[in-house]
């Protein structure tokens, strides 16, 4: 059960890269900055900052379920934090603009207690009113 709970926590993680709007150049430094700010928010338990990186109608897919909408995504992060997740970090390894969207993929790592976990993510981002927003994310936990 503890492994399942830890897996649930880890599945709720996400990287938060910067998005492109049509005609905008991909800015790796800005995406890395968003990753940093999201990880900091996760590690201090700031649910508002974490949820605000997702579009209102975003979809987040994890081994624990499908979370539709910002409120459901916020609740999934709240549940994960209650289990004691800490030392979260993310590394974007792929970033590719596709029209007015950006596709990103990478790795994440975190701990529950002293136990380390890691996995992979992919996300699709767009811009809403000039602000980068995640519209779809899929998170996976690496096999032991």
């Amino acid at each position: 059960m503890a492994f399942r709970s830890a897996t649930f926590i880890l599945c709720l993680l996400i990287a938060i890269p910067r998005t492109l709007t049509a005609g905008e150049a991909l800015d790796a430094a800005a995406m890395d900055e968003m990753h940093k700010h999201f990880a900091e928010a996760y590690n201090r338990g700031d649910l508002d900052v974490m949820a605000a990186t997702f579009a209102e109608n975003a979809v987040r897919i994890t081994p624990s379920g499908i979370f539709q909408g910002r409120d459901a995504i916020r609740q999934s992060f709240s549940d994960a934090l209650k289990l004691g997740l800490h030392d979260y970090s993310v590394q974007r390894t792929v970033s590719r603009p596709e029209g007015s969207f950006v596709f990103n993929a990478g790795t994440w790592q975190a701990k529950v207690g002293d136990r380390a976990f890691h996995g992979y993510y992919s996300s699709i981002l767009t811009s809403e009113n000039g602000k980068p927003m995640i519209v779809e994310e899929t998170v996976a936990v690496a096999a032991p």
Side-chain angles (χ1 to χ4, degrees):
M1 183 66 178
F3 178 75
R4 186 172 183 184
S5 295
T7 300
F8 173 77
I9 291 172
L10 298 175
C11 292
L12 296 176
L13 300 173
I14 181 56
I16 307 302
R18 186 179 180 279
T19 188
L20 293 181
T21 56
E24 184 181 6
L26 181 61
D27 184 343
M31 283 193 285
D32 290 341
E33 189 68 18
M34 277 194 88
H35 283 248
K36 177 184 170 194
H37 287 299
F38 183 82
E40 290 169 349
Y42 211 117
N43 289 322
R44 72 176 178 266
D46 191 336
L47 293 170
D48 292 334
V49 170
M50 294 162 60
T53 60
F54 288 83
E56 187 64 41
N57 63 349
V59 175
R60 190 159 189 270
I61 305 161
T62 75
S64 297
I66 299 172
F67 304 95
Q68 298 180 30
R70 188 181 294 144
D71 291 338
I73 291 168
R74 184 183 196 284
Q75 184 61 51
S76 72
F77 285 129
S78 176
D79 294 343
L81 290 171
K82 289 176 187 173
L83 295 173
L85 177 79
H86 62 95
D87 294 343
Y88 170 77
S89 65
V90 64
Q91 178 66 46
R92 179 178 40 84
T93 57
V94 175
S95 189
R96 182 180 71 230
E98 295 290 339
S100 62
F101 296 98
V102 174
F103 169 80
N104 285 326
T107 61
W108 60 263
Q109 60 185 4
K111 290 183 179 178
V112 176
D114 291 335
R115 188 168 185 180
F117 291 87
H118 72 282
Y120 310 95
Y121 78 91
S122 66
S123 60
I124 299 171
L125 296 94
T126 193
S127 179
E128 279 184 14
N129 300 318
K131 182 178 178 185
M133 302 299 274
I134 296 172
V135 295
E136 190 278 331
E137 175 184 70
T138 300
V139 179
V141 177

